Amino acid sequence: MTDHDTSRAGALLTIDVGAICDNWRSLQAAVGAAQCAAVVKADAYGLGATRVAPALAAAGCRTFFVAHLDEALALKPALPAHAAVLVLHGPTPGTEAEFESRGIVPVLNSAAQIAGWRALARRLDRELPAFVQVDSGMARLGLSPAELQAVAADAPSLAGIRVAGVMSHLACAEDQANPANREQLQRFRAARRLLPAAPASFANSSAIFLGDDYHFDLVRPGAALYGIAPVAGASNPLRPVVRLQGKVMQTRDIEPGTPVGYGHSWRCGQPTRIATVSVGYADGWLRALSNRGAAWFNGTLLPLVGKVSMDTITLDASAVPAGALQPGALVDLINEQQDVDTVAAQAGTIGYEVLTSLGQRYARRYVGEPGTA
Ligand SMILES: *Cc1c(COP(=O)(O)O)cnc(C)c1O
């Protein structure tokens, strides 16, 4: 649901596109001469790629990464023609021609993907652009050291492929003290020497904060654009992007000992006011927040009590004066007091999972888009 009447939805998700653009600008400023791309996979981490990416393009971003071809096909028409759209997962066999005809650039992650792209170039009898990814120490995607050696030893393996970028990805970048970062950096530098000279891309959000050595020519932030803190344990230099407000449906006053919610996992020890709010795990309010999370109402913390249900949560609203929380009142679930990373920590996960779990049932309000006042 987008920008529709909030009275029909159980909750309101406000996405500050202006803050996303400001975050992109500060990341671009932080990397100086390098170019700052934007990772908008998974629907821009759940926030709406076709709203976020055009705004970033208007702010000056020229390169966009998604995970899948389908995501690229949905995004491409929303972007100016000059914007580059790259698919991190590269082509699945048989989709190469669709990449080419739609002007989408693949990231080639294996000898097999290189062979598929090379075959298309031969068939069309022209050079086709691609990024090549090497695995520098994560064992996830990209040419393994052995594959890289084989490609390097066999120059025709890249025939017809214009290597528009060489990239790799860090496993531990949010932990600045982790020695794996420098080891990966060294392996990435060595890998570049084995491939045709091309712009290099190494840094995700966190790696931007590891220093200039990690920036190369193109950085690929996702999380930081969306307000997730890039450095574990440090204050967040970026602007918050998301506000999530759930709607109160009912309140009730219960006697000491009354059980609340599924499994009767919580009982009040004293007279308690319970507020039921229409957000649940089907909306990405993770069940792991049962008896752990909280909401805020006008600066007052309302602990989440009982299990998170599919469509509802129950709050201990005793701290709010009787009558203050009427049906329809909004409580904050994500705001500046309780940011995405705080919620994630309470749920035992990371901000990435909280954002990408936010469901499709919210009324969504986009603010700060270019051209809007
Ligand atoms: C998701 C992803 C990114 C973005 O990472 P963030 O930590 O969100 O900045 C960059 N590069 C690759 C290869 C990715 O998969």
Side-chain angles (χ1 to χ4, degrees):
M1 284 181 270
T2 297
D3 282 349
H4 93 344
D5 183 355
T6 57
S7 67
R8 286 194 241 124
L12 174 61
L13 181 65
T14 303
I15 295 158
D16 188 341
V17 178
I20 296 174
C21 292
D22 281 350
N23 290 340
W24 180 82
R25 285 186 199 97
S26 32
L27 296 169
Q28 175 61 77
V31 299
Q35 188 199 136
C36 187
V39 178
V40 294
K41 62 191 180 188
D43 201 24
Y45 292 41
L47 302 184
T50 57
R51 302 295 284 261
V52 168
L56 286 170
C61 181
R62 288 174 282 149
T63 305
F64 297 85
F65 287 89
V66 292
H68 301 285
L69 175 58
D70 267 343
E71 294 180 316
L73 294 175
L75 184 61
K76 187 88 176 148
L79 286 174
H82 67 262
V85 177
L86 289 108
V87 171
L88 291 166
H89 289 189
T92 50
T95 59
E96 292 85 358
E98 198 167 12
F99 274 81
E100 194 280 331
S101 69
R102 303 296 289 272
I104 291 160
V105 179
V107 175
L108 305 176
N109 293 298
S110 64
Q113 286 187 331
I114 288 174
W117 199 239
R118 185 178 67 227
L120 181 66
R122 193 186 314 118
R123 199 155 76 235
L124 300 176
D125 193 24
R126 68 194 144 78
E127 273 212 320
L128 300 180
F131 272 40
V132 174
Q133 174 153 228
V134 296
D135 173 25
S136 59
M138 177 163 190
R140 187 180 73 166
L141 285 171
L143 299 179
S144 68
E147 277 183 316
L148 178 61
Q149 291 292 345
V151 167
D154 175 27
S157 67
L158 289 170
I161 298 176
R162 182 171 64 78
V163 180
V166 174
M167 63 174 271
S168 191
H169 191 55
L170 285 152
C172 308
E174 75 284 356
D175 173 11
Q176 297 198 319
N178 198 315
N181 294 324
R182 198 138 278 277
E183 286 162 23
Q184 283 198 257
L185 177 63
Q186 267 141 23
R187 287 200 211 107
F188 182 55
R189 284 180 174 146
R192 283 190 76 195
R193 290 194 283 271
L194 295 175
L195 287 165
S201 178
F202 194 42
N204 70 334
S205 298
S206 298
I208 290 171
F209 296 87
L210 291 175
D212 298 357
D213 282 359
Y214 290 79
H215 296 166
F216 293 93
D217 303 298
L218 179 73
V219 297
R220 307 186 306 270
L225 297 173
Y226 311 115
I228 293 172
V231 181
S235 70
N236 189 345
L238 299 149
R239 283 189 60 191
V241 166
V242 167
R243 183 175 188 190
L244 178 62
Q245 296 165 284
K247 216 180 270 179
V248 173
M249 302 166 71
Q250 300 191 343
T251 57
R252 74 192 71 236
D253 293 312
I254 58 173
E255 297 302 321
T258 307
V260 174
Y262 281 121
H264 289 175
S265 69
W266 190 80
R267 272 171 213 272
C268 59
Q270 55 200 29
T272 298
R273 181 165 313 113
I274 296 291
T276 303
V277 173
S278 58
V279 171
Y281 60 76
D283 304 295
W285 205 251
L286 304 172
R287 196 160 176 276
L289 292 164
S290 296
N291 289 307
R292 307 195 57 145
W296 289 80
F297 181 69
N298 287 344
T300 303
L301 180 100
L302 312 179
L304 194 161
V305 295
K307 297 282 189 197
V308 175
S309 303
M310 186 183 292
D311 314 303
T312 53
I313 52 175
T314 37
L315 305 172
D316 177 348
S318 307
V320 175
L325 269 185
Q326 293 296 328
L330 294 173
V331 297
D332 276 319
L333 292 165
I334 298 174
N335 65 5
E336 293 192 25
Q337 276 155 316
Q338 175 167 290
D339 63 16
V340 174
D341 294 296
T342 303
V343 173
Q346 287 166 348
T349 183
I350 54 175
Y352 298 65
E353 190 175 32
V354 171
L355 283 191
T356 57
S357 297
L358 296 175
Q360 295 303 314
R361 293 199 292 187
Y362 301 118
R364 288 183 177 224
R365 180 187 291 158
Y366 288 89
V367 300
E369 286 179 302
T372 61

